[in-house]
Amino acid sequence: MEWHNFFQLLKKHKYTLLATTVVAILVAYFLVRNQPNKYASQAKLATGIVDQTQKILNSDADEQESKISQKFSNLMEMLRSKKILDQISYSLIIHDLSSNDTYTKPSTLLNQLNSHARKHALQTFTELYKKKESLSLYNPDQNGLNKLLVSLRYDDKSILNNLNIYRLQNSDYIVVQYDSENPKLSADIVNSLCNEFINYYTLLVKENQKKAVDFWSNLLHAKEDTLNKRMVALKSYKIRNHVLNLNEKAKSLYGQIADFETRREEAEKTAKSTEAAINNIDKRFNPNDRKYLESTKIAASQQLLTAKAQLEQVNEAYVKSNFSSKYKNQADSLKALISEQIEKLSDKYVLNPLAAKQNLVEQKLTLQLQHELAKNSSKTIDVELARLYAEFDSLVPHEGTVQALENAISVASQEYLEILQKYNQTNVVSKFSIQLRIIEPAEPEQAEASKKALIVIIAGLVAFIFYIVVLFIIFFFDHTIKDARDLANKTKIPVLGYINQQASLINNHAAIWDSKYPLDEYKQFIRHIQSLRFEIDSELLDSKVLLINSIEKGEGKTLVAINLAYSYIQLHKKVLVIDANFDNPTITQVNQIESYLEDYLNNDTVTLVSPMDGAMQILGNKGNGHSLLEISNVYHIAAKLEQLKSVFDIIIIESSALVSLNKAKEWVMFADKVVTVFEAGKSLTETDKQYIEYLKQLHNKFIGWVLNYVPSGIKSKK
């Protein structure tokens, strides 16, 4: 993309660009010059959402920012709700209907109302305001009242268009702002909106709190009844089954069982040890001694047996009484009595000469007493253990039932405490006032700075930029060839020179080149032709036949050929111009022709006289549409051209365009060098690309392009 070309395009359209900007500024000025001033009023609402000083019971102290933003969004949407805006609409229309000092200019519809209609409208709007109801558009009467609101721009949509509600950064405040043409209207709308919103929000919150308190109260009573019923059920079960405290009773039984088992082990141990000791003593007596001792013991031990029987009864009572100290004292007394009787009995024994065994007899009697007491205690303990185990087993069914009842009471108690906590918290919150309040009421403000000048400037700037953008889009998507560099880059073929568009206005070429002092407007054209001649001479060297063609018709071959010939005349060259364009012989038509190509090729008597140096001859054609090879054969044509080379210094041939196919290509066979004229402002088509490939295949014979009709003001760089 050549930016200088774009700037040249802007320069070309500078007056149009300026005119468009001026028109946009004028239009914007006339549109906004009668625009009324705007008055903005705003109020601030404190919500208490993020203000920790307003928190109740430190609730929601750790709320996330997303939750806080959601709460603010809900409040702001409630402020914009139709229910609130309808109340504002009603208050505004009630004011205008009941007062001569209206907020805005009365509309046509308002002026058309008679006294009865105004009274009816005022009454209807007042009732709707008190009941906080909306207009029903299905009702014809209320639909007409809605049209009245719309005509005064008091309806909810009109109010919402000029209403701006936003949270002040990350603070606890919501800003409510309204813009209108009346400062008092702006302030009254903002204050009314805030008050209506606070009243509505307070009513809504209090109703919800009351419902919440009633709900938790009913649920609390229900949970309390459930808890009482379960406690009564547990109490009745314990009374009915004589269960006071299963845990304590089980612990007591378990302790008694452990104690009895310990004593039983001791009794069994004593019984076994005394039995073994008695057996050892018996082994130390022979049978005769034993008979003697037993015969003497029967009569003497009657009192001892009576005392033993009493000891067994006391010992049994002692075990059953869970080893009461009362029976223990009795048992100790009986044991002392038995010991005394044993000693007396020992003294009364009549012994045989084996008197040394008297001590063993006393030990045996004592051991027998201990053995009998241990066996008696063991039996009694077994009976008591059996009773304790039976009583312990009877506690198991009661334990399951009591445990289930106690668990139910625990669950009911937990639920009751949780509900009680929520009820207390909800009840406390309901006692507090609503945190939402106005901290800065709206006041009538001064008119805002006029934006008319800014709008006019923006309109002109937008028109200016828009026009430039349009030109850029046109330029960006414009693939036409504008200068020599574009042509060279897109075809990969050198450009020998270019001719400006003003050259197409030149008719008398001879007058331009013959004048010693050409006009200034033609000097640039002459310089371009001279530059082209120099480039062609650099390529021709010793060659003399130069063919000038083009891809399509009308690209200016004649202009280039004739003026190039005049350029060579300035070098005092003998120049021959051959009009080989049989389809459009322009050179032949605009000049006085004495010799024709057809005659020269077919009639040997026709010859061209050598002109003087710096002279030009033209060999025209009869324009019959024939091709070169239809006029003569290849060898004859080549021979004739060799004759012409011997006479002239340079031979310039203008052939037909390449679109004529063989008519143009036949002349290429006889040319030393080929130059193709390309018209600026054209884009390359697929057909053009095919002919360009053909020209490239000519290799050194094709020396380059001549860019013609370049727009004025564009510096065409090669």
Side-chain angles (χ1 to χ4, degrees):
M1 180 185 295
E2 297 291 342
W3 286 104
H4 70 276
N5 290 341
F6 177 64
F7 293 133
Q8 289 294 332
L9 180 63
L10 291 178
K11 186 177 180 181
K12 179 180 178 182
H13 292 83
K14 60 183 178 182
Y15 295 111
T16 307
L17 181 60
L18 180 62
T20 303
T21 305
V22 172
V23 170
I25 291 175
L26 292 175
V27 171
Y29 171 75
F30 284 104
L31 288 176
V32 302
R33 65 193 179 101
N34 294 325
Q35 187 178 18
N37 293 326
K38 288 289 186 181
Y39 299 88
S41 293
Q42 62 177 219
K44 287 184 181 178
L45 292 173
T47 62
I49 296 177
V50 296
D51 187 2
Q52 295 298 324
T53 61
Q54 301 298 322
K55 291 295 182 182
I56 300 174
L57 302 179
N58 199 27
S59 60
D60 304 331
D62 299 325
E63 276 189 320
Q64 296 181 352
E65 183 61 31
S66 59
K67 188 69 174 179
I68 294 174
S69 299
Q70 184 179 9
K71 288 185 176 181
F72 274 99
S73 298
N74 292 337
L75 289 178
M76 290 187 288
E77 287 304 316
M78 192 179 296
L79 272 165
R80 297 187 184 97
S81 64
K82 188 176 185 302
K83 191 175 187 64
I84 303 296
L85 295 178
D86 282 344
Q87 294 296 106
I88 307 304
S89 300
Y90 300 154
S91 63
L92 295 176
I93 191 64
I94 290 172
H95 174 273
D96 285 2
L97 289 174
S98 58
S99 174
N100 294 327
D101 183 19
T102 59
Y103 285 120
T104 61
K105 181 180 179 181
S107 64
T108 303
L109 187 57
L110 180 61
N111 289 330
Q112 291 175 354
L113 296 178
N114 54 36
S115 59
H116 176 72
R118 292 174 68 94
K119 182 178 180 181
H120 171 71
L122 179 60
Q123 181 180 0
T124 303
F125 283 122
T126 304
E127 291 178 356
L128 291 173
Y129 178 79
K130 291 179 179 179
K131 295 179 179 179
K132 294 181 172 33
E133 296 179 353
S134 299
L135 287 168
S136 175
L137 300 183
Y138 294 102
N139 187 324
D141 179 57
Q142 294 190 8
N143 190 20
L145 295 177
N146 182 70
K147 292 179 180 179
L148 178 61
L149 291 176
V150 174
S151 68
L152 293 169
R153 290 182 299 173
Y154 289 166
D155 58 299
D156 59 306
K157 293 182 180 178
S158 299
I159 295 175
L160 197 58
N161 289 336
N162 298 315
L163 183 64
N164 187 18
I165 302 173
Y166 59 93
R167 180 186 179 188
L168 190 60
Q169 297 180 353
N170 291 327
S171 67
D172 187 57
Y173 307 116
I174 293 178
V175 177
V176 181
Q177 178 178 325
Y178 189 80
D179 302 335
S180 73
E181 302 168 8
N182 187 336
K184 188 174 184 302
L185 174 63
S186 298
D188 288 352
I189 286 181
V190 171
N191 289 328
S192 298
L193 179 63
C194 293
N195 289 324
E196 291 292 341
F197 170 67
I198 291 175
N199 293 335
Y200 174 74
Y201 183 78
T202 301
L203 179 63
L204 187 64
V205 171
K206 289 301 179 182
E207 286 182 353
N208 290 336
Q209 288 177 347
K210 184 178 181 303
K211 291 179 181 178
V213 171
D214 293 342
F215 170 77
W216 292 120
S217 177
N218 295 333
L219 188 58
L220 182 65
H221 291 153
K223 294 299 180 180
E224 185 178 10
D225 292 341
T226 302
L227 178 61
N228 291 334
K229 289 179 181 179
R230 291 179 178 177
M231 293 177 67
V232 169
L234 177 62
K235 180 180 179 181
S236 300
Y237 182 82
K238 287 185 174 182
I239 293 174
R240 186 171 58 253
N241 294 279
H242 305 286
V243 177
L244 295 179
N245 193 326
L246 288 176
N247 291 332
E248 293 298 327
K249 190 170 183 179
K251 290 180 181 179
S252 177
L253 289 175
Y254 187 77
Q256 292 180 27
I257 291 173
D259 188 24
F260 275 109
E261 286 182 345
T262 302
R263 292 179 180 274
R264 183 180 63 181
E265 290 177 359
E266 292 178 357
E268 290 177 351
K269 182 178 179 181
T270 301
K272 289 181 179 180
S273 61
T274 53
E275 184 179 4
I278 291 171
N279 291 333
N280 289 332
I281 291 174
D282 288 340
K283 289 179 181 178
R284 299 176 68 178
F285 289 96
N286 58 37
N288 293 325
D289 292 336
R290 290 177 62 188
K291 288 179 181 181
Y292 177 78
L293 289 173
E294 290 175 358
S295 63
T296 58
K297 185 179 67 175
I298 294 175
S301 62
Q302 292 298 325
Q303 295 179 353
L304 182 62
L305 292 176
T306 301
K308 287 182 179 180
Q310 291 177 355
L311 180 61
E312 289 179 0
Q313 292 177 357
V314 172
N315 189 51
E316 184 177 353
Y318 174 62
V319 173
K320 290 182 179 181
S321 66
N322 195 17
F323 306 101
S324 175
S325 59
K326 174 183 176 181
Y327 295 103
K328 185 175 185 303
N329 294 331
Q330 295 179 6
D332 292 340
S333 299
L334 290 173
K335 287 180 180 178
L337 178 62
I338 292 173
S339 298
E340 182 180 352
Q341 291 178 351
I342 290 174
E343 291 178 358
K344 291 180 179 181
L345 183 62
S346 299
D347 293 337
K348 293 179 180 180
Y349 281 153
V350 179
L351 298 177
N352 61 10
L354 300 176
K357 296 182 180 180
Q358 182 178 354
N359 189 32
L360 291 177
V361 173
E362 293 178 357
Q363 291 180 8
K364 180 178 178 182
L365 291 175
T366 302
L367 290 174
Q368 284 179 344
L369 177 61
Q370 293 178 357
H371 178 69
E372 289 178 359
L373 288 175
K375 288 179 66 178
N376 180 262
S377 297
S378 178
K379 292 179 181 180
T380 304
I381 290 173
D382 287 337
V383 173
E384 193 64 21
L385 279 175
R387 182 187 66 79
L388 291 175
Y389 276 119
E391 187 175 355
F392 188 82
D393 291 340
S394 67
L395 295 180
V396 175
H398 297 305
E399 177 65 19
T401 304
V402 170
Q403 187 68 33
L405 291 174
E406 288 179 347
N407 290 338
I409 291 173
S410 177
V411 172
S413 177
Q414 183 67 27
E415 292 178 351
Y416 174 78
L417 292 176
E418 291 177 357
I419 300 301
L420 179 61
Q421 181 182 2
K422 292 180 179 179
Y423 169 77
N424 291 334
Q425 184 176 1
T426 306
N427 195 28
V428 170
V429 171
S430 66
K431 302 300 182 183
F432 285 87
S433 61
I434 297 301
Q435 303 171 47
L436 193 65
R437 66 193 188 282
I438 301 175
I439 60 170
E440 289 185 11
E443 297 290 343
E445 301 290 346
Q446 298 294 327
E448 292 184 336
S450 178
K451 298 180 181 177
K452 299 176 184 178
L454 180 61
I455 293 174
V456 171
I457 294 173
I458 291 176
L461 185 62
V462 169
F464 181 81
I465 295 175
F466 179 76
Y467 196 88
I468 292 178
V469 170
V470 171
L471 290 178
F472 179 78
I473 293 174
I474 295 174
F475 174 77
F476 185 81
F477 291 100
D478 184 10
H479 300 293
T480 58
I481 305 297
K482 295 180 180 63
D483 56 24
R485 178 176 292 180
D486 285 346
L487 182 60
N489 291 337
K490 292 181 179 181
T491 61
K492 307 303 179 183
I493 297 174
V495 178
L496 302 177
Y498 68 95
I499 301 174
N500 286 339
Q501 196 170 17
Q502 67 211 32
S504 62
L505 304 176
I506 300 174
N507 294 322
N508 192 350
H509 303 285
I512 295 175
W513 290 96
D514 289 343
S515 176
K516 294 182 180 180
Y517 304 100
L519 298 175
D520 291 339
E521 59 182 305
Y522 296 142
K523 287 182 179 180
Q524 185 179 11
F525 170 71
I526 293 174
R527 287 196 296 268
H528 289 165
I529 295 297
Q530 290 171 343
S531 175
L532 176 62
R533 181 195 65 198
F534 175 79
E535 297 294 337
I536 291 175
D537 277 344
S538 300
E539 296 293 337
L540 282 175
L541 298 177
D542 296 331
S543 302
K544 293 185 177 182
V545 180
L546 176 65
L547 177 65
I548 298 176
N549 61 9
S550 64
I551 294 177
E552 296 181 355
K553 299 177 182 180
E555 297 196 65
K557 299 185 299 296
T558 301
L559 175 69
V560 175
I562 292 298
N563 286 282
L564 189 60
Y566 278 107
S567 176
Y568 276 106
I569 290 174
Q570 306 304 314
L571 299 178
H572 305 287
K573 297 282 187 179
K574 299 175 182 179
V575 182
L576 174 64
V577 177
I578 300 177
D579 187 357
N581 190 347
F582 297 105
D583 294 328
N584 187 19
T586 304
I587 296 178
T588 303
Q589 293 172 358
V590 300
N591 294 279
Q592 296 178 355
I593 303 301
E594 297 178 355
S595 303
Y596 291 93
L597 180 62
E598 293 89 344
D599 296 336
Y600 178 74
L601 293 177
N602 294 325
N603 192 346
D604 293 337
T605 59
V606 178
T607 59
L608 297 179
V609 180
S610 175
M612 297 187 305
D613 292 341
M616 177 179 66
Q617 288 192 18
I618 298 176
L619 191 60
N621 69 76
K622 298 178 180 180
N624 51 19
H626 295 301
S627 66
L628 177 61
L629 296 181
E630 290 177 349
I631 298 174
S632 182
N633 60 60
V634 174
Y635 301 104
H636 187 67
I637 294 171
K640 287 291 185 176
L641 285 177
E642 288 298 326
Q643 292 178 7
L644 294 175
K645 289 180 183 180
S646 63
V647 176
F648 296 94
D649 296 324
I650 182 71
I651 301 173
I652 299 175
I653 303 174
E654 181 201 346
S655 70
S656 57
L658 289 174
V659 293
S660 61
L661 302 177
N662 63 302
K663 292 181 181 181
K665 294 180 180 180
E666 288 175 1
W667 279 103
V668 174
M669 297 169 55
F670 303 99
D672 294 331
K673 299 294 181 179
V674 178
V675 173
T676 302
V677 178
F678 191 90
E679 181 182 359
K682 292 173 52 181
S683 58
L684 295 175
T685 64
E686 292 299 324
T687 303
D688 294 341
K689 293 178 182 179
Q690 294 178 4
Y691 292 125
I692 291 172
E693 291 299 322
Y694 164 74
L695 293 174
K696 289 181 179 180
Q697 292 175 3
L698 298 178
H699 302 295
N700 294 332
K701 181 178 285 191
F702 176 60
I703 60 176
W705 300 102
V706 176
L707 185 62
N708 199 9
Y709 303 145
V710 176
S712 300
I714 294 183
K715 296 180 180 180
S716 185
K717 298 180 181 180
K718 294 189 280 185

